């Protein structure tokens, strides 16, 4: 996508961060790149591109099924999927321009509104791929963050997920999909001289992260107190990847009927 600078007075569609509306910008980005938790919102129609570095059919099938399961777990509709064997990594966009456009064409034919790429993309790679494909791109990290968000039921869990999401969003501000490059003069208001809307948003995100980390430290202190009181108790932990079957194993061991959302 293109970013065209213009005077601040001519750019009314961007809610400026120092007007107390930075949450709207974050929400807009989340709705574009992640499935919303709002039941009334439109579900993303995703086309999955699994990147494989191994020319092995079984490995490729397993990788494709895994990312498809994660995408479905975040509430998206899967309209198509394919595997791409990557022989040479393109540092600018992971895959080449021709491949990106071919995949985008197949995604549009399937009615997709977003392409999910099974790889961790840098902010610049994400922007470049969206330029090439002309569609929204979502990488593996964003999918996993949204799965965690949908299953976060406690305040501590929601705080941890929000920290992770803001840390992910922070270097990707320019990929929100709206013009964030206009400059704003700074005498008599909270903006610095020549400060862009993206810089304003970055400051607000940094401030929110500071608040969340203070809350997280409080949770950690409470947890340490609780752990010290339970030192005499034996503890068993089930550790596993998303959709690995931890809840099913717990139910089998304890004869309970726990839900994966608990």
């Amino acid at each position: 996508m293109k970013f065209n600078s213009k005077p601040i007075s001519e750019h009314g569609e961007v809610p400026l961060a120092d007007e107390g509306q930075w949450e709207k910008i974050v929400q807009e980005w989340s709705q574009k790149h992640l499935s919303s938790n709002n039941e009334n919102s439109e579900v993303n129609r995703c086309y999955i591109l699994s990147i494989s570095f191994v020319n092995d059919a079984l490995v490729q099938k397993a990788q494709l099924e895994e990312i498809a399961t994660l995408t479905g777990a975040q509430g998206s509709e899967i309209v198509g999927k394919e595997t791409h064997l990557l022989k040479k990594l393109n540092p600018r966009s992971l895959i080449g321009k021709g491949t990106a456009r071919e995949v985008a064409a197949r995604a549009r034919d399937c009615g997709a509104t977003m392409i999910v790429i099974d790889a961790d993309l840098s902010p610049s790679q994400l922007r470049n791929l969206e330029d090439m494909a002309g569609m929204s791109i979502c990488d593996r990290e964003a999918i996993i963050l949204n799965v965690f968000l949908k299953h976060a039921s406690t305040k501590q869990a929601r705080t941890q997920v929000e920290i992770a999401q803001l840390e992910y969003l922070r270097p990707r501000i320019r990929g929100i999909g709206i013009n964030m490059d206009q400059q704003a003069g700074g005498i008599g208001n909270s903006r610095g001289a020549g400060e862009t809307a993206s810089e304003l948003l970055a400051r607000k995100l940094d401030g929110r992260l500071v608040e969340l980390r203070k809350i997280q430290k409080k949770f950690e202190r409470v947890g340490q107190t609780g752990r010290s009181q339970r030192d005499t108790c034996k503890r068993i932990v089930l550790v596993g990847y998303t959709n690995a079957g931890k809840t099913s194993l717990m139910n089998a061991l304890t004869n309970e009927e726990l839900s994966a959302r608990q």
Side-chain angles (χ1 to χ4, degrees), residues 14-208:
V14 176
L16 293 180
D18 59 347
E19 292 176 353
Q21 302 185 56
W22 71 272
E23 294 90 347
K24 292 183 179 180
I25 301 177
V26 176
Q27 182 181 17
E28 180 172 341
W29 179 88
S30 298
Q31 289 176 346
K32 176 186 174 188
H33 290 83
L34 305 174
S35 292
S36 173
N37 289 324
N38 187 344
E39 295 180 356
N40 297 323
S41 63
E42 185 178 351
V43 175
N44 285 324
R45 295 167 56 84
C46 297
Y47 187 89
I48 298 175
L49 177 64
S50 176
I51 304 295
S52 178
F53 297 91
V54 181
N55 191 11
D56 186 310
L58 292 177
V59 173
Q60 292 176 0
K61 181 180 179 181
Q63 291 174 338
L64 185 59
E65 289 179 352
E66 181 189 29
I67 188 62
T69 300
L70 289 171
T71 304
Q74 72 157 3
S76 297
E77 178 185 354
I78 300 173
V79 297
K81 53 187 178 181
E82 66 175 273
T83 295
H84 176 69
L85 179 61
L86 191 62
K87 297 181 180 179
K88 183 179 180 181
L89 189 148
N90 187 324
R92 184 173 180 272
S93 56
L94 186 67
I95 57 178
K97 181 184 293 188
T99 301
R101 291 178 175 175
E102 290 173 2
V103 172
R106 289 191 288 271
R108 291 191 185 92
D109 290 341
C110 295
T113 58
M114 175 187 295
I115 298 175
V116 174
I117 297 183
D118 186 19
D120 293 330
L121 302 173
S122 68
S124 61
Q125 287 176 334
L126 186 65
R127 289 194 296 267
N128 291 334
L129 279 171
E130 288 191 333
D131 280 340
M132 296 173 183
M135 295 181 65
S136 295
I137 303 292
C138 185
D139 69 355
R140 180 184 182 87
E141 185 176 356
I143 293 290
I144 293 175
L145 283 175
N146 200 46
V147 171
F148 284 138
L149 177 63
K150 289 179 71 68
H151 293 85
S153 57
T154 66
K155 184 176 180 180
Q156 182 177 5
R158 289 194 295 270
T159 299
Q160 291 173 335
V161 173
E162 186 176 354
I163 289 174
Q165 282 195 315
L166 293 185
E167 288 176 341
Y168 177 85
L169 172 60
R170 177 65 170 79
R172 294 169 174 80
I173 289 174
R174 288 195 60 207
I176 288 175
I178 52 181
N179 191 323
M180 298 295 291
D181 288 337
Q182 73 280 12
Q183 292 185 344
I187 298 178
N189 57 31
S190 63
R191 306 183 191 115
E195 192 172 33
T196 65
S198 60
E199 291 168 339
L200 290 170
L201 176 57
R203 285 199 291 111
K204 289 295 182 179
L205 291 182
D206 289 340
R208 178 59 177 165

Side-chain angles (χ1 to χ4, degrees), residues 206-239:
D206 289 340
R208 178 59 177 165
L209 280 169
V210 170
E211 294 175 4
L212 290 170
R213 285 170 180 147
K214 289 180 180 178
I215 295 173
Q216 187 181 35
K217 287 184 178 179
K218 291 181 180 179
F219 283 125
E220 290 174 354
R221 287 196 294 268
V222 172
Q224 289 174 355
T225 302
R227 284 192 295 272
S228 64
Q229 295 174 350
R230 298 191 300 268
D231 281 343
T232 58
C233 301
K234 293 183 178 180
R235 295 180 295 274
I236 299 176
V237 180
L238 290 177
V239 179

